[in-house]
Amino acid sequence: MKLTIKNQLDPLFEILSLLFLCHSDTWKEKMISALDDYGVSGEHFYREHLQAFETYVETFQEHKVQRPEEDALFQSFSEDTLMLLFVLAIEKRSSIEHPETLNLLELRSLLAYFITDTGEHPRLPDIKELPQLPDETSLIDFIDKADVESEEKWYMLNLLRKADYWLASLYKAVDNNKDAYAKALASVEEPLRLLLKRMASYHAPDFFKIADACADTPVLYPTLAMPLIQMVLYTYGYLGLSIETLIADEASGRLTKDAILRQVKSISDKSKLDILCALKESPMYNLELSEHLGLSPSTVSHHANTLLACGFVTVEKKDGKVYYCLHRENISRFLSSLEQMLL
């Protein structure tokens, strides 16, 4: 395993996430709703386990420096397109101290790859292998052919046109709020120390396997700003500091019927069920599933990510490609729980 696991927060990811939360008036309600959807009592879990998270966000919000250009940045994009910019900021972090060195064409190429990436390969290609978008005509042609929702295309075109400007603006917002981040850290110093200590002994074999397969030499950081995520980018991955508690509740059977319902919903969709049936025969990578099922690569990625989140699918790396595989043990556990509930 080439996975490097850190026992410290990634300041860039934390500040980006805190900025994102502070530009939403309903971040707490969304967190509780997501917990409800997962199958726990959102209000109870939030009250019992996420008080440090709340203090962290509220302290950052209290000391945050907000400027008009930052407001324009967050108002110019949908959440999905903003996430593309965040991924770009993390992967291009070497430029944060010198944003004047950002190369517009290189940034366009990276963003175009993020938009079209099927998840088939576990590393970022060389810049020469990436899509080339040197002018307005190539930009419009790329967006017109991109397999994304129509309403997202205009946000993406706006991002691609001025990628260097938008990324520099985001880096400026990060720099403006380093002091606010330091104060937020100080406000949760003791609970954060305990969370990091507990995380140091936490073993998440399923997620570690996914992280190791989906990135070339990934560095995995814990995160308090997004305490319930398990996410792998291209070079970096993030594991929420409260995910262990949530998974412990699941393993001990303390989840509600909604947890089973969440898994049932994931296979009530024909395409997702078709993916599971195809993987029963043999593991496949994204484009193989796409051709086998007659679905677009991005649609396969969307469905497969849902199945990964539900634990019905895992991944393995073979011959330079990332293959989806059935997680037979988790499927058997789900069927057993369903049987106990109904029979």
Side-chain angles (χ1 to χ4, degrees):
M1 179 181 286
K2 298 178 181 179
L3 184 65
T4 300
I5 301 174
K6 299 285 189 178
N7 194 235
Q8 63 194 51
L9 303 183
D10 174 8
L12 177 57
F13 182 82
E14 295 299 298
I15 297 175
L16 288 172
S17 300
L18 288 165
L19 287 170
F20 176 77
L21 290 169
C22 289
H23 279 271
S24 169
D25 295 328
T26 58
W27 55 267
K28 180 175 179 179
E29 291 79 4
K30 287 180 179 177
M31 179 74 74
I32 291 172
S33 177
L35 286 163
D36 286 335
D37 289 343
Y38 188 80
V40 300
S41 169
E43 287 279 2
H44 176 77
F45 189 94
Y46 189 95
R47 185 172 59 252
E48 292 294 315
H49 304 295
L50 295 178
Q51 290 308 297
F53 161 73
E54 183 174 276
T55 300
Y56 186 55
V57 178
E58 289 182 343
T59 304
F60 182 85
Q61 201 161 25
E62 180 183 351
H63 296 281
K64 180 179 174 300
V65 177
Q66 191 155 331
R67 302 189 185 279
E69 57 269 27
E70 180 190 318
D71 290 333
L73 171 68
F74 280 84
Q75 292 166 6
S76 295
F77 302 109
S78 68
E79 287 190 8
D80 287 347
T81 303
L82 198 58
M83 288 305 104
L84 289 173
L85 182 58
F86 280 19
V87 174
L88 185 65
I90 290 166
E91 294 295 337
K92 288 292 294 179
R93 65 174 62 214
S94 60
S95 301
I96 193 168
E97 299 297 334
H98 300 283
E100 70 279 1
T101 64
L102 293 171
N103 183 295
L104 175 59
L105 295 184
E106 179 186 353
L107 298 179
R108 282 181 179 175
S109 292
L110 284 167
L111 285 168
Y113 181 75
F114 297 164
I115 292 167
T116 58
D117 182 22
T118 63
E120 179 182 341
H121 300 286
R123 68 170 183 85
L124 276 174
D126 184 88
I127 190 67
K128 295 177 182 178
E129 303 173 56
L130 297 176
Q132 303 299 311
L133 305 173
D135 51 37
E136 192 79 4
T137 301
S138 61
L139 279 176
I140 293 173
D141 186 55
F142 170 79
I143 287 294
D144 185 52
K145 294 176 180 177
D147 184 20
V148 295
E149 297 293 332
S150 296
E151 57 268 24
E152 283 297 314
K153 292 187 176 184
W154 299 111
Y155 293 119
M156 291 180 181
L157 183 59
N158 184 23
L159 178 57
L160 287 164
R161 275 176 168 156
K162 300 193 297 178
D164 53 346
Y165 168 79
W166 291 120
L167 185 55
S169 297
L170 186 59
Y171 282 154
K172 182 65 174 177
V174 169
D175 187 61
N176 287 338
N177 286 288
K178 287 180 178 177
D179 287 344
Y181 173 59
K183 289 181 171 65
L185 277 179
S187 72
V188 294
E189 182 177 358
E190 182 58 21
L192 177 58
R193 183 185 67 79
L194 294 174
L195 285 168
L196 289 171
K197 182 179 179 180
R198 189 172 69 185
M199 181 62 77
S201 60
Y202 177 54
H203 186 57
D206 287 346
F207 178 64
F208 291 167
K209 181 179 179 182
I210 291 169
D212 195 43
C214 292
D216 194 17
T217 53
V219 178
L220 185 64
Y221 283 94
T223 171
L224 181 59
M226 293 291 172
L228 299 174
I229 67 163
Q230 297 181 92
M231 180 172 72
V232 184
L233 303 178
Y234 294 94
T235 311
Y236 301 92
Y238 299 93
L239 184 63
L241 280 168
S242 296
I243 197 70
E244 177 189 7
T245 304
L246 191 60
I247 291 174
D249 276 4
E250 183 173 25
S252 65
R254 288 196 290 269
L255 296 188
T256 68
K257 290 180 181 178
D258 288 341
I260 299 297
L261 181 60
R262 171 176 56 90
Q263 292 179 306
V264 170
K265 283 181 178 178
S266 75
I267 56 173
S268 64
D269 175 84
K270 180 181 182 300
S271 295
K272 293 184 183 68
L273 188 58
D274 285 344
I275 288 173
L276 292 177
C277 290
L279 295 179
K280 178 184 175 182
E281 303 303 321
S282 68
M284 295 186 190
Y285 58 88
N286 186 286
L287 291 182
E288 284 183 318
L289 278 169
S290 173
E291 294 171 1
H292 183 75
L293 300 175
L295 300 171
S296 71
S298 64
T299 298
V300 169
S301 293
H302 172 75
H303 290 317
N305 285 337
T306 300
L307 294 169
L308 280 165
C310 287
F312 289 157
V313 166
T314 185
V315 295
E316 63 181 26
K317 190 158 48 178
K318 179 182 176 183
D319 299 329
K321 291 185 171 65
V322 176
Y323 284 77
Y324 295 114
C325 320
L326 279 190
H327 199 315
R328 297 177 186 273
E329 181 181 344
N330 281 355
I331 292 174
S332 295
R333 188 180 298 120
F334 159 71
L335 294 174
S336 177
S337 298
L338 193 60
E339 182 179 28
Q340 290 176 18
M341 184 177 293
L342 297 177
L343 298 179

